[in-house]
């Protein structure tokens, strides 16, 4: 079959096939091109390899890419993993502009490298490292135990940032166990602590996570308030990456509430930020996911032609990413 006849066949098929079938086929193609179980673990291992090679900025960028991908796909396990990795690296390398603190010791990320806490002044750092490790290993019970010990030590030493991080870790551990009711209080406390300490970056992260928890609990109005507050802080900090994540989550809430025009505005704003961010790094996959979310709105509002166009654009982005 010649290339011209192939094109003619494809055009004829598109014209003749029922629109729901086309949407299903396109959505299936995108789903296979964006598997949940392949690229995310690769980013996880790539990030830690970069960290081990002392490529700190590259490791942070990789974990941020993991976080964005997981957030767009609403994959709570990888969201927690990426957040903990970023928090661990920032704390260990003193990236954030806070008072100088002792470097974290070489804390385990594999069972054979376990570091047991001692009675020295560095106990808090060790406890937080162990808590983050077990969180990454999905051992939430151990993570909670270490976070609670670390929180007690942070309170004794009056280290506000560490208190907030411990509380956020406790909230995320409960969230990973789908114990959303128990997640709210520590996350809420973390937001207040970060506000008091003036740490707007972590305050935005805590608010974003609190919004996710309220969304899972069905508290949609409160979730939107959390996301809106997080978005304001991220705009103030010029955290375009964070803005995109929060806008996407807001779109999901509005879509669930069937406020489709507002959801569309959120997704389009996130898409605009994604394309801006894509001038510095490859965000084709993330753009494809946002296009798919807009396409789903087209399906839900009985606009199959619009849905097909956005699904095809998403598929084109995915195929373009696969060939680069």
């Amino acid at each position: 079959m010649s290339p011209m006849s192939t094109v003619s066949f494809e055009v004829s098929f598109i014209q003749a096939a029922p629109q729901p079938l086309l949407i299903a086929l396109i959505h299936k193609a995108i789903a296979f091109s964006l598997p949940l179980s392949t690229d995310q673990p690769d980013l996880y291992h790539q990030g830690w390899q970069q960290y081990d090679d002392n490529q700190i900025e590259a490791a942070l960028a990789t974990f941020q890419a993991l976080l964005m991908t997981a957030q767009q796909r609403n994959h709570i396990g990888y969201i927690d993993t990426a957040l903990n990795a970023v928090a661990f690296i920032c704390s260990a390398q003193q990236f954030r502009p806070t008072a100088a603190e002792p470097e974290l010791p070489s804390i385990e990320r594999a069972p054979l490298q376990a570091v047991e806490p001692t009675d020295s002044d560095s106990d808090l750092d060790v406890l937080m490292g162990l808590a983050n490790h077990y969180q990454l290993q999905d051992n939430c019970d151990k993570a909670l135990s270490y976070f609670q010990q670390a929180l007690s030590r942070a309170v004794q030493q009056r280290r506000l940032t560490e208190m907030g991080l411990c509380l956020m870790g406790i909230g995320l551990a409960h969230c990973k166990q789908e114990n959303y009711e128990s997640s709210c209080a520590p996350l809420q406390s973390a937001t207040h602590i970060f506000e008091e300490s003036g740490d707007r970056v972590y305050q935005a992260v805590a608010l974003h996570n609190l919004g996710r928890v309220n969304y899972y609990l069905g508290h949609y109005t409160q979730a939107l308030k959390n996301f809106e507050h997080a978005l304001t802080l991220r705009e103030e900090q010029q955290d375009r990456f964070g803005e995109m994540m929060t806008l996407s989550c807001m779109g999901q809430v509005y879509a669930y509430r069937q406020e489709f025009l507002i959801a569309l505005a959120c997704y389009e704003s996130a898409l605009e930020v994604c394309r801006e961010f894509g001038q510095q790094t490859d965000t084709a996959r993330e753009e494809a996911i946002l296009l798919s979310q807009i396409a789903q709105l087209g399906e839900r509002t009985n606009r199959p032609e619009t849905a097909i166009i956005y699904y095809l654009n998403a598929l084109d982005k995915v195929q373009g990413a696969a060939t680069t």
Side-chain angles (χ1 to χ4, degrees):
M1 183 180 289
S2 68
M4 184 60 68
S5 61
T6 301
V7 172
S8 299
F9 169 77
E10 290 176 350
V11 171
S12 299
F13 175 76
I14 290 174
Q15 291 174 340
Q19 289 173 336
L21 174 61
L22 281 178
I23 290 174
L25 290 173
I26 295 169
H27 188 69
K28 179 180 179 182
I30 293 171
F32 276 117
S33 301
L34 295 170
L36 287 174
S37 58
T38 56
D39 58 332
Q40 291 186 358
D42 288 343
L43 286 173
Y44 171 73
H45 294 302
Q46 177 185 337
W48 282 124
Q49 184 61 54
Q50 290 167 333
Y51 178 77
D52 289 338
D53 293 340
N54 205 33
Q55 300 174 19
I56 306 304
E57 293 184 6
L60 283 171
T62 299
F63 284 124
Q64 287 173 341
L66 172 62
L67 182 61
M68 180 169 63
T69 303
Q71 186 67 62
Q72 296 293 346
R73 302 180 197 183
N74 199 28
H75 196 304
I76 189 169
Y78 283 119
I79 290 171
D80 294 347
T81 295
L83 281 171
N84 282 321
V86 171
F88 174 89
I89 292 175
C90 288
S91 178
Q93 299 298 322
Q94 304 178 28
F95 254 57
R96 295 167 44 258
T98 57
E101 295 176 1
E103 274 192 16
L104 284 172
S106 178
I107 295 173
E108 59 170 0
R109 288 200 304 274
L112 293 179
Q113 298 174 344
V115 178
E116 292 302 324
T118 66
D119 292 330
S120 69
D121 291 338
S122 63
D123 276 4
L124 173 56
D125 296 326
V126 176
L127 287 167
M128 289 182 65
L130 287 168
N132 280 313
H133 163 71
Y134 286 116
Q135 185 105 294
L136 294 174
Q137 298 295 321
D138 291 328
N139 190 335
C140 293
D141 290 334
K142 273 199 169 183
L144 283 168
S145 175
Y146 280 117
F147 273 129
Q148 287 161 353
Q149 293 178 60
L151 177 60
S152 176
R153 197 63 57 88
V155 170
Q156 292 174 3
Q157 299 179 16
R158 298 185 179 181
R159 290 168 63 171
L160 284 180
T161 297
E162 284 73 13
M163 287 167 58
L165 288 174
C166 289
L167 286 164
M168 187 158 61
I170 290 170
L172 290 175
H174 284 305
C175 192
K176 184 176 288 190
Q177 293 177 321
E178 300 184 3
N179 187 2
Y180 303 125
E181 291 286 355
S182 298
S183 296
C184 281
L187 286 171
Q188 186 70 61
S189 296
T191 63
H192 293 321
I193 288 174
F194 291 136
E195 182 177 15
E196 181 181 345
S197 66
D199 193 328
R200 299 294 180 257
V201 175
Y202 276 138
Q203 185 185 358
V205 174
L207 283 164
H208 182 97
N209 282 290
L210 186 59
R212 286 172 45 219
V213 169
N214 278 311
Y215 172 72
Y216 295 139
L217 288 170
H219 303 158
Y220 304 119
T221 300
Q222 186 59 49
L224 286 173
K225 288 181 180 179
N226 297 143
F227 287 137
E228 287 166 359
H229 194 175
L231 183 62
T232 298
L233 292 174
R234 285 174 161 172
E235 288 173 346
E236 291 174 356
Q237 298 295 316
Q238 297 183 338
D239 178 10
R240 301 292 279 165
F241 191 95
E243 287 179 45
M244 177 175 55
M245 291 165 43
T246 301
L247 283 166
S248 176
C249 285
M250 291 173 66
Q252 293 178 35
V253 178
Y254 281 118
Y256 190 86
R257 293 184 6 161
Q258 299 187 13
E259 298 180 48
F260 298 120
L261 288 178
I262 304 178
L264 178 61
C266 291
Y267 286 143
E268 287 182 337
S269 297
L271 187 61
E272 180 181 349
V273 176
C274 182
R275 287 169 173 166
E276 176 187 322
F277 197 75
Q279 296 175 3
Q280 302 171 354
T281 184
D282 183 13
T283 57
R285 289 179 177 271
E286 289 71 31
E287 186 173 344
I289 294 165
L290 282 166
L291 289 167
S292 296
Q293 289 174 321
I294 296 174
Q296 291 169 16
L297 288 181
E299 288 187 74
R300 297 185 64 183
T301 54
N302 297 318
R303 292 178 173 83
E305 297 87 354
T306 301
I308 288 172
I309 291 171
Y310 276 97
Y311 276 133
L312 287 171
N313 287 337
L315 184 59
D316 181 63
K317 284 291 178 182
V318 172
Q319 291 175 336
T323 57
T324 57

